[in-house]
C-alpha cells in the first residue's frame, strides 16, 4: 500500500512534520510582531482577501489543466483520484464559502 521510496526512507515524513512546525512557529511570531506594529488594518484584509480569491480562481484553472496531463502520463491511478478529490474539495469549499458569505450580507 505504501510506496517503496517511503518504506526505504520513512524519516522524510519527520522532516516534513518538522518543517510544518517551523512554518507554524514563524507564522505566529510574524502575527505577533505584525499586531504589535499595527500592520493588520482594513486595507490589509481587503488586499489579502482579493489575493486569496484570485489564487483560488487560478488554482481551479491549474487543476483543470493538470487533470488531462496526469491522465496522459500516469493513467487512471492514485494521482488521478487524488487530483479529483482535491478538485471536489476545492469546489465544496467554494460552495460553502459562497453560501456563508452570501448569508451574511
Amino acid at each position: 500500500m505504501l510506496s517503496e521510496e517511503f518504506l526505504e526512507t520513512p524519516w522524510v515524513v519527520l522532516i516534513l512534520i518538522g518543517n510544518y512546525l517551523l512554518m507554524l512557529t514563524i507564522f505566529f511570531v510574524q502575527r505577533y510582531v505584525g499586531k504589535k506594529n499595527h500592520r493588520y488594518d482594513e486595507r490589509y484584509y481587503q488586499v489579502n482577501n482579493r489575493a486569496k480569491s484570485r489564487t483560488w480562481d487560478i488554482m481551479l484553472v491549474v487543476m483543470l489543466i493538470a487533470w488531462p496531463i496526469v491522465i496522459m502520463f500516469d493513467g487512471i491511478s492514485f494521482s488521478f483520484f487524488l487530483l479529483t478529490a482535491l478538485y471536489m474539495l476545492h469546489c465544496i469549499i467554494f460552495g460553502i464559502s459562497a453560501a456563508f458569505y452570501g448569508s451574511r450580507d
Side-chain angles (χ1 to χ4, degrees):
M1 178 158 175
L2 299 173
S3 71
E4 245 182 78
E5 292 85 12
F6 173 73
L7 292 175
E8 290 174 4
T9 56
W11 50 268
V12 172
V13 174
L14 292 175
I15 293 173
L16 285 174
I17 292 171
N19 283 336
Y20 294 152
L21 291 175
L22 177 66
M23 288 188 300
L24 192 63
T25 303
I26 291 171
F27 170 77
F28 283 119
V29 168
Q30 179 261 344
R31 289 288 291 184
Y32 175 76
V33 171
K35 284 184 179 183
K36 197 173 181 181
N37 295 334
H38 305 290
R39 290 186 189 149
Y40 302 113
D41 57 354
E42 184 178 330
R43 183 178 179 280
Y44 166 81
Y45 287 109
Q46 181 183 13
V47 169
N48 202 17
N49 288 338
R50 291 180 74 192
K52 286 179 188 177
S53 175
R54 286 294 161 227
T55 302
W56 276 102
D57 293 344
I58 293 168
M59 191 63 204
L60 177 63
V61 172
V62 168
M63 288 170 63
L64 291 175
I65 292 170
W67 225 341
I69 293 171
V70 166
I71 293 172
M72 286 187 296
F73 290 103
D74 203 25
I76 306 292
S77 63
F78 175 74
S79 55
F80 170 77
F81 289 110
L82 179 65
L83 190 58
T84 302
L86 289 174
Y87 174 73
M88 290 172 57
L89 184 64
H90 168 80
C91 291
I92 289 169
I93 291 171
F94 177 74
I96 291 170
S97 299
F100 175 75
Y101 290 114
S103 68
R104 287 182 69 187
D105 292 336

